[in-house]
Amino acid sequence: MSSLQKTFYIETFGCQMNFHDSEKVVGTLISEGYAQVQREEDADLIFYNTCSIRDKAEQKVFHRLADVKKLQKEGKRFAVLGCVAQQEGEKIFERAPYVSMVAGSASYHNLPAMLVQIEAGATRVTGLDDRETDQTFETEFTARTNPHRGYITIIEGCDKFCAYCVVPYTRGKERSRTSQSVVDEAKRMTDAGYTDIQLLGQNVNSYRDPAGKKSFAELLTAVGELPGIRRVRFTTSHPRDFTKDIIDAIDAVPALCDHVHLPVQSGSSRVLQSMFREYTREQYLERIAWMKAIRNKEISITTDVIVGFPGETEAEFGETLSLLDEVGYDGVFSFKYSPRPNTPSLQYIDSVAEGEKSRRLQGLQEHQRELQRASYSRHLGQTLEVMVEGKNGARGQIIGRTSQNKTLNFVTHDQRQPGIGDYVQVEVTQVFPNSLLGKMVG
Ligand code: 5AD
Ligand code: SF4
């Protein structure tokens, strides 16, 4: 590396969308002549790609900025990207005056121009959006960190405005890429050896091809039929826009994974209405019934739940527990309600006390753990295909992932050890509430 070359460090908080945005930001920076380094100390430019989904997530970046404040003396420049950047905007300069750039995700297509300003010595560069932009962030070069499994963004932003959620304010309005550009990118990835592709968006089900050629289900099918592809996943879905043709596609196309993440948030239709989710418990369960009715695969279903939403009664919380029983999820991500800036539910009285939220969260997690303890036993004795992800040296096990997105670690007595990215058959010999253990066969 030439000593004249500018260096950068980047750290990512939050969801898969943020993780993948960072891969594109890194690609853009490398294309602009910067070199990535692994420690803040070695960097000229330090980027934090931030999350503001809950208060705890948001506080992380401010703690991080306080930790590295001392580095400003060495002439380093700091940039805050992502959801906290968009949400807090120029207030970040007040709170941390050593930050030189604040940019939300809807402005990343302007990154090269913002870098020029930084290089010219500007100290308050902003890329903030008022839900105006129609542009998506496409890069010549995306610095993907995994050579086998990768993401593709198909839709950015969100127009749903759920009462509790910051995303419509932090990621701008909904805008889709053309199906042609998505399929072209997927093709370039499979040509480069990728076998597992995950299509990303805040709400992939509201995908609308600007060229009018393909529905979301048709796009899934097109990616799933590319030569060389083994696994196609997508996240995240919204029950309101989740149509039956998606399930039919999963049933028909072998490479479309037998896993759907369908966030429910609450099992009570009254709470759902107050969250502006635009579906009832019954409508949600209808979508689950579609998944259970398909012929060729057993679809694994996972979800997100918020406990302690304003006004949630004990009985309504009980409806969420009974929904877990009814659906039989393979995984539940659960959170305590956290009031967020700008959102409609900020006007509601945050009526469930903190201690009660904790009690409900713990109760829900224990309940789900017991359900999974029982339901994962269905895999005992099954032979499942896994993609090899790495080795767990300490235990002498190999780490694998099933098409249902479950961790299946395994041992092999074979001389030849499978490599990362290989697909092998594994017989399940032991089950835990969150993972499986097995031995390689065949
Ligand atoms: N408080 C708690 N959880 C939230 N989520 C989104 N906004 C909030 C909030 N204000 C959860 C939802 C969503 C997941 C990504 O985060 O369950 O599906
Ligand atoms: Fe966090 Fe949501 Fe932004 Fe992802 S989109 S980084 S989860 S606030």
Side-chain angles (χ1 to χ4, degrees):
M1 189 193 312
S2 119
S3 60
L4 290 174
Q5 193 172 24
K6 287 269 180 189
T7 54
F8 73 95
Y9 167 90
I10 187 166
E11 189 170 329
T12 308
F13 304 87
C15 62
Q16 290 147 316
M17 242 77 64
N18 255 21
F19 177 83
H20 182 51
D21 280 347
S22 288
E23 294 182 328
K24 293 195 270 184
V25 168
V26 171
T28 304
L29 286 161
I30 291 174
S31 304
E32 297 291 320
Y34 291 78
Q36 187 172 14
V37 294
Q38 300 306 323
R39 303 187 326 159
E40 274 126 324
E41 287 78 0
D42 301 330
D44 301 313
L45 256 172
I46 296 170
F47 291 88
Y48 296 114
N49 191 0
T50 62
C51 172
S52 66
I53 195 86
R54 285 168 292 274
D55 187 55
K56 245 196 204 155
E58 178 178 337
Q59 294 318 320
K60 272 191 197 154
V61 64
F62 290 109
H63 290 143
R64 202 82 193 83
L65 281 169
D67 288 346
V68 294
K69 188 175 170 198
K70 55 182 185 302
L71 293 176
Q72 68 173 310
K73 292 195 200 79
E74 298 166 26
K76 297 184 190 303
R77 316 290 298 277
F78 293 87
V80 178
L81 305 180
C83 293
V84 178
Q86 181 61 44
Q87 179 187 293
E88 296 299 302
E90 302 187 4
K91 280 189 268 173
I92 293 177
F93 296 132
E94 312 302 324
R95 212 167 147 177
Y98 46 100
V99 170
S100 317
M101 179 174 147
V102 170
S105 64
S107 75
Y108 294 163
H109 55 271
N110 286 327
L111 218 53
M114 292 191 265
L115 290 168
V116 169
Q117 292 181 50
I118 288 279
E119 291 302 334
T123 52
R124 296 203 159 189
V125 179
T126 54
L128 301 171
D129 164 73
D130 300 309
R131 293 187 54 81
E132 291 291 317
T133 192
D134 287 319
Q135 265 179 287
T136 52
F137 179 35
E138 301 192 27
T139 48
E140 286 294 308
F141 168 54
T142 299
R144 290 195 167 83
T145 46
N146 181 316
H148 310 287
R149 190 153 59 88
Y151 297 117
I152 300 180
T153 309
I154 65 165
I155 177 169
E156 296 180 26
C158 183
D159 288 345
K160 274 285 182 284
F161 293 96
C162 298
Y164 50 80
C165 188
V166 288
V167 173
Y169 310 93
T170 62
R171 286 192 165 268
K173 74 175 180 197
E174 235 165 58
R175 50 214 191 272
S176 301
R177 290 173 61 186
T178 63
S179 58
Q180 189 64 51
S181 75
V182 173
V183 174
D184 288 348
E185 185 171 356
K187 175 88 175 43
R188 285 196 298 276
M189 288 173 70
T190 52
D191 286 348
Y194 281 85
T195 56
D196 182 328
I197 290 179
Q198 187 161 342
L199 303 182
L200 289 183
Q202 284 303 334
N203 175 5
V204 286
N205 313 133
S206 59
Y207 176 80
R208 291 273 170 287
D209 185 354
K213 288 202 182 122
K214 284 188 176 29
S215 67
F216 173 62
E218 288 165 345
L219 176 60
L220 265 182
T221 302
V223 176
E225 288 178 342
L226 285 174
I229 195 82
R230 299 282 290 260
R231 292 179 172 180
V232 179
R233 310 173 185 282
F234 57 91
T235 201
T236 234
S237 290
H238 189 295
R240 166 66 194 247
D241 299 329
F242 195 93
T243 44
K244 188 162 176 299
D245 56 346
I246 302 169
I247 295 301
D248 294 337
I250 292 175
D251 200 16
V253 182
L256 300 186
C257 285
D258 43 355
H259 170 222
V260 172
H261 183 65
L262 195 63
V264 66
Q265 313 300 357
S266 168
S268 149
S269 294
R270 209 258 337 139
V271 173
L272 288 171
Q273 190 179 19
S274 160
M275 288 176 164
F276 306 154
R277 289 290 286 175
E278 303 184 317
Y279 56 85
T280 61
R281 176 187 176 105
E282 290 67 35
Q283 286 166 330
Y284 181 87
L285 287 171
E286 187 186 2
R287 279 141 188 79
I288 299 296
W290 295 340
M291 294 185 216
K292 293 191 173 171
I294 68 169
R295 269 169 299 155
N296 301 320
K297 296 175 185 172
E298 179 222 54
I299 295 186
S300 168
I301 308 165
T302 56
T303 200
D304 294 344
V305 167
I306 296 176
V307 301
F309 188 73
E312 183 190 68
T313 64
E314 184 66 35
E316 288 165 343
F317 171 63
E319 288 185 72
T320 299
L321 295 182
S322 76
L323 185 97
L324 302 187
D325 296 335
E326 222 167 302
V327 176
Y329 291 108
D330 275 343
V332 175
F333 300 90
S334 49
F335 312 98
K336 291 191 261 188
Y337 169 70
S338 167
R340 304 309 295 133
N342 306 318
T343 59
S345 64
L346 203 57
Q347 310 302 321
Y348 302 170
I349 298 166
D350 190 7
S351 60
V352 183
E354 185 59 28
E356 178 59 19
K357 282 182 190 163
S358 301
R359 195 191 64 79
R360 288 183 192 178
L361 186 72
Q362 203 188 341
L364 183 138
Q365 289 175 346
E366 276 165 19
H367 187 81
Q368 179 59 25
R369 201 177 161 80
E370 287 316 307
L371 290 175
Q372 278 176 224
R373 194 186 296 284
S375 75
Y376 272 42
S377 65
R378 71 187 188 274
H379 294 303
L380 203 61
Q382 285 179 345
T383 295
L384 301 173
E385 184 186 72
V386 304
M387 184 204 230
V388 175
E389 295 203 321
K391 292 205 164 63
N392 182 340
R395 293 196 181 151
Q397 291 168 359
I398 299 168
I399 303 166
R401 184 186 294 264
T402 70
S403 70
Q404 288 192 338
N405 210 26
K406 292 180 176 128
T407 299
L408 169 45
N409 297 331
F410 61 97
V411 290
T412 169
H413 302 298
D414 209 309
Q415 285 304 324
R416 48 189 182 97
Q417 294 275 315
I420 293 176
D422 286 355
Y423 289 86
V424 297
Q425 299 292 321
V426 176
E427 186 188 326
V428 179
T429 54
Q430 225 181 318
V431 300
F432 306 100
N434 263 311
S435 67
L436 309 168
L437 189 65
K439 61 170 195 278
M440 192 169 99
V441 293

